[in-house]
Amino acid sequence: MKNQMETFPGSRHFRLKQVTDGVYAAIAVPGTGSLANAAIIDLGDSTVVVDTFMSIEAAKDLQTAARGLTGKPVSYVINTHWHSDHTSGNQVFSPQAQIISTTAAREIMATVGKNRVIQQLSNLETLNQAIAELEERSKQETNAKLKEEMLWELASEREYIRMLPDFAYTLPTITFEQQMSICGSDRSVQLITYGGGHTQSDAFVYLPEEKTAIMGDLVLSKHHPVLTHANPQAWLHILEQVELLAIETIVPGHGEICSMRELYEVKQYLNDIHALVAKAVRTHTGIEELSVPKAYEDWHFTTYFQSNLKRVEQLLAEAAGEQ
Ligand SMILES: [Zn+2]
C-alpha cells in the first residue's frame, strides 16, 4: 500500500508525523502562525481533528492533510482548551464538522475568548504597537536562543494579525462534562477532562487500544509549560490521574511527539517553579532575579519562565491572604 503521508504535498505550517496506525500528529513549525500542534485521527468511517492552530491558513492545510490521509472530510473537531492557538482555525471545519469541547471551555470561548478578538479587531493599533515593541526588543537581544524565539513569536503575531479581518470566531457545537466517546468502524477515541489545570478547563484525547494520548497543553515537550491561566496544583492532580491510564505515546500541545517521560518533566517543572517562588518569598528575593534552572535551559518558550514565576507568586499571595 502506498504510504498515505507521501500523498500530502506538505505545509509550511506543520510537519506531518505518523504516531501509530490511523493517528497522525501535525507538529507546528515555529514562526508560521500554527503555533500549537494538532492531530488527525482516522476512525475508519469518520475523521477526527484535534485542535485547529492559530491561523486560518494553517487550519486549511490541516483540512487538506486530513482529507488526503483519510480519504474523508473531517466529521469532528475537538478543542482541547480555549486558547487561540488551539481554536482559531475552527471556522475552516464548520459547519460540516461538529466542534467539541468541554462545557466550561465553550463558556469561556463564548465570553472571554470572543470578547478578546472583538477588542483586538476594534483596536488593531494596540496589537501593531506590541508587535513593534517586540521587534525592537528582538533587535537588541544578544542571546541567540532568545532572539530566535522572539523572531518566531514576532512572525506568529504577524500571521495572526494578517488573518484577523477574515476571522469568524467559531464556537464548539457539542459539549461534554467529564467524558465522551466517538466510536468509529476501525477505532474509537475517548475525550476526557479532569477539570482545569493549564486553563480553567482542559480536555485530552485518549486512544486506549493504541496507548496514545493527545494531551493539548497539559503536556508540552521541551517547552516551558504556560501558566498564564493555570492552577498548578490542579494541573498536577490532573497529571496524576493521567498516569493511571495506559499511555505510551503522547502528542504534546507544543514540541515533538513524546512519551510519559515528558509528562513527568512537566510535573517536575510545576513543582520546581512552586519551590523557587516559595523560597524567593521566604528569603525576600525578587523573582526577577531568578534565572531558568539548568534542567530547562534548552527548552523553548523561555519568555514564559518569568511570567510563570509571577503567576505562582500571585497565587501564593492570594492563598496567604485567604488564611
Ligand atoms: Zn494553551
Side-chain angles (χ1 to χ4, degrees), residues 7 11 37 55 108 122 124 127 138 185 199 202 209 214 244 252 272 281 308 314:
T7 62
S11 168
N37 293 337
S55 80
I108 296 162
S122 68
L124 282 176
L127 260 187
S138 73
S185 56
T199 62
D202 300 288
E209 294 282 319
I214 297 136
L244 302 176
D272 286 352
V281 170
N308 286 347
Q314 173 209 335

Side-chain angles (χ1 to χ4, degrees), residues 77-244:
V77 169
I78 296 159
N79 289 152
T80 56
H81 61 295
W82 71 272
H83 282 163
S84 59
D85 53 333
H86 298 258
T87 55
S88 293
N90 279 1
Q91 73 188 77
V92 168
F93 301 93
S94 179
Q96 298 83 6
Q98 298 294 335
I99 301 174
I100 309 171
S101 75
T102 67
T103 309
R106 187 189 187 280
E107 183 61 36
I108 296 162
M109 286 175 74
T111 52
V112 179
K114 195 170 179 175
N115 286 337
R116 193 190 248 192
V117 176
I118 290 168
Q119 280 214 321
Q120 286 169 339
L121 274 168
S122 68
N123 200 354
L124 282 176
E125 204 32 59
T126 310
L127 260 187
N128 279 318
Q129 229 171 343
I131 288 176
E133 279 164 26
L134 180 61
E135 183 167 24
E136 212 34 61
R137 273 188 287 130
S138 73
K139 279 180 188 157
Q140 279 154 28
E141 183 57 61
T142 50
N143 178 304
K145 175 170 174 273
L146 292 184
K147 194 185 183 87
E148 182 178 47
E149 289 188 337
M150 279 175 159
L151 292 175
W152 286 342
E153 193 185 336
L154 200 55
S156 278
E157 289 294 315
R158 287 205 171 108
E159 293 245 358
Y160 181 75
I161 208 165
R162 190 160 61 84
M163 164 201 84
L164 273 180
D166 301 317
F167 192 41
Y169 201 84
T170 305
L171 293 171
T173 47
I174 296 176
T175 67
F176 68 101
E177 294 286 338
Q178 292 175 317
Q179 189 166 343
M180 77 178 274
S181 299
I182 305 174
C183 303
S185 56
D186 288 356
R187 57 184 59 80
S188 302
V189 293
Q190 293 179 9
L191 284 55
I192 300 173
T193 179
Y194 295 138
H198 163 65
T199 62
Q200 300 86 333
S201 178
D202 300 288
F204 61 95
V205 177
Y206 177 43
L207 292 100
E209 294 282 319
E210 289 75 12
K211 295 188 167 36
T212 295
I214 297 136
M215 292 301 303
D217 285 355
L218 287 170
V219 177
L220 306 191
S221 172
K222 306 289 181 268
H223 282 63
H224 288 258
V226 178
L227 272 65
T228 315
H229 303 109
N231 177 334
Q233 292 310 313
W235 192 337
L236 284 166
H237 188 59
I238 289 171
L239 295 180
E240 278 160 21
Q241 289 170 272
V242 174
E243 278 177 58
L244 302 176

Side-chain angles (χ1 to χ4, degrees), residues 272-291:
D272 286 352
I273 290 280
H274 184 271
L276 276 174
V277 175
K279 189 180 172 197
V281 170
R282 252 195 341 267
T283 58
H284 304 286
T285 314
I287 52 171
E288 313 75 40
E289 290 167 36
L290 299 175
S291 49

